[in-house]
Amino acid sequence: MRGDPPAVDAPAPVTLPRTRRLGDRVGDGVLYAVTAAAATLAVLVVIAIAWKLVDGARPAMSRFGLGFVVEQAWNPVTGDFAALDFVFGTVLTSLGAVLLAAPLSIAIGLYLSELAPRGVRGVVGSLVEMLAAIPSVVLGLWGILVLGPFVAHHLGPFLGRWLGWTPLFSGDPAQNGSGQLTAVLVLTIMVVPITSAVCRELFLSVPRELEDGAIALGATRWEMVRDVVLEFTRGGVVAAVILGLGRAIGEAIAVTQVIGGQTGIHWSLFATGDTLASRIAAQYQGAATGLQVASIVYLAAILLAISLVTNFVAQLIVRRFEFQRTGGA
């Protein structure tokens, strides 16, 4: 038709030269295979550990059943075994340690990421992280020689004087300072470096633009930390705290040295007690009968189940916070 523009032939497609070599394509396959094998190996290791524990605990499971978890007994002479005393001690000491360690760790992470002078951050951060490098047996020995006497002669009487009306601080601490309170304090020292290191990295990951924008809009430093830094990282902070909880649940040697190793359910932190990990570490090598060995392995299976449930709950919490922050995007 008149007025139509003249037809223009489309240019022929340009074929780009192939830059990928055969080794690159093979490398993709090798990378996928290696990473998939590593992930599969991790799953298989967990399954193998669980299977071995269940297999080793089978005699105790057949003898005591699920009542083993909710009953109180541990008498190698009569062959009566149960786990409730140790489950209670594990929960009490671990939660107590996390309640103390969580605010300390968050405060340390905020100080090192937001408030500390640049020259101080490296020194303080390195010293805090050095706590994680101290062997647990050394911390336990320090708990016996230093922390225990301090609890017996200073901290215990002070807490009893002001908080003795509560079940947690009723009674008197042992003269040597061993007990659940000392175990809580030792676990707190062991949890803080792990949790604070994760929190610091989380706080450093907050975009600087968000922090500067909040300050520019008139927010105070505290308001910026509360509404921007903590809001942005709350899912990760919860995961860091639960990671510390898992560390406290599984600690054995240091707790064995300071908790007293006694059975029974005692709400007072001044009383002696025991945990799942501590009982396993203290008695497995000296178990006198096959049933006692199976009962100790049963304790290990319960400990593994608690650890797996704790990590599963942590993932659910993190996903919920992430969904709330991003709206499911």
Side-chain angles (χ1 to χ4, degrees), residues 90-107:
T90 299
V91 173
L92 182 64
T93 55
S94 300
L95 290 181
V98 168
L99 287 176
L100 292 177
L104 286 173
S105 301
I106 295 172

Side-chain angles (χ1 to χ4, degrees), residues 101-147:
L104 286 173
S105 301
I106 295 172
I108 291 171
L110 286 173
Y111 177 74
L112 294 177
S113 62
E114 303 291 336
L115 303 174
R118 187 174 301 274
V120 175
R121 294 180 184 179
V123 176
V124 176
S126 298
L127 291 176
V128 172
E129 292 176 357
M130 280 182 61
L131 287 174
I134 299 177
S136 58
V137 67
V138 175
L139 279 176
L141 184 61
W142 179 81
I144 294 173
L145 299 177
V146 178
L147 193 56

Side-chain angles (χ1 to χ4, degrees), residues 20-105:
R20 298 186 63 187
R21 295 170 297 180
L22 177 62
D24 297 328
R25 292 191 291 272
V26 172
D28 288 345
V30 172
L31 176 63
Y32 178 83
V34 170
T35 54
T40 304
L41 179 62
V43 174
L44 292 177
V45 168
V46 174
I47 294 174
I49 292 173
W51 178 84
K52 187 61 179 179
L53 291 179
V54 172
D55 183 64
R58 199 178 305 278
M61 290 180 174
S62 301
R63 173 77 176 271
F64 304 112
L66 292 178
F68 184 86
V69 182
V70 296
E71 295 178 359
Q72 291 181 257
W74 195 267
N75 192 334
V77 177
T78 60
D80 294 324
F81 301 100
L84 184 59
D85 294 348
F86 314 121
V87 173
F88 177 84
T90 299
V91 173
L92 182 64
T93 55
S94 300
L95 290 181
V98 168
L99 287 176
L100 292 177
L104 286 173
S105 301

Side-chain angles (χ1 to χ4, degrees), residues 71-299:
E71 295 178 359
Q72 291 181 257
W74 195 267
N75 192 334
V77 177
T78 60
D80 294 324
F81 301 100
L84 184 59
D85 294 348
F86 314 121
V87 173
F88 177 84
T90 299
V91 173
L92 182 64
T93 55
S94 300
L95 290 181
V98 168
L99 287 176
L100 292 177
L104 286 173
S105 301
I106 295 172
I108 291 171
L110 286 173
Y111 177 74
L112 294 177
S113 62
E114 303 291 336
L115 303 174
R118 187 174 301 274
V120 175
R121 294 180 184 179
V123 176
V124 176
S126 298
L127 291 176
V128 172
E129 292 176 357
M130 280 182 61
L131 287 174
I134 299 177
S136 58
V137 67
V138 175
L139 279 176
L141 184 61
W142 179 81
I144 294 173
L145 299 177
V146 178
L147 193 56
F150 174 74
V151 169
H153 303 301
H154 301 284
L155 182 60
F158 174 80
L159 294 174
R161 186 182 310 115
W162 295 99
L163 299 173
W165 52 274
T166 64
L168 289 177
F169 300 102
S170 60
D172 298 318
Q175 289 301 312
N176 61 357
S178 62
Q180 297 179 124
L181 178 59
T182 308
V184 167
L185 296 177
V186 169
L187 287 175
T188 300
I189 296 172
M190 302 181 74
V191 167
V192 163
I194 299 173
T195 308
S196 62
V198 176
C199 288
R200 182 183 64 177
E201 295 302 320
L202 288 170
F203 299 150
L204 289 173
S205 69
V206 177
R208 179 59 61 181
E209 295 80 4
L210 295 180
E211 300 182 16
D212 294 340
I215 297 295
L217 290 173
T220 64
R221 180 61 64 90
W222 160 242
E223 290 172 336
M224 182 272 292
V225 168
R226 181 191 63 192
D227 298 331
V228 176
V229 177
L230 294 180
E231 181 69 21
F232 189 87
T233 61
R234 59 179 180 172
V237 170
V238 172
V241 171
I242 298 182
L243 177 64
L245 175 62
R247 177 73 176 88
I249 289 174
E251 176 53 38
I253 300 301
V255 174
T256 303
Q257 293 174 275
V258 299
I259 199 170
Q262 299 297 317
T263 57
I265 293 179
H266 308 287
W267 283 99
S268 175
L269 292 174
F270 296 149
T272 56
D274 212 349
T275 66
L276 291 167
S278 174
R279 179 62 49 149
I280 296 168
Q283 292 200 355
Y284 182 81
Q285 293 295 334
T289 63
L291 182 60
Q292 185 178 0
V293 172
S295 299
I296 293 173
V297 178
Y298 201 169
L299 295 181

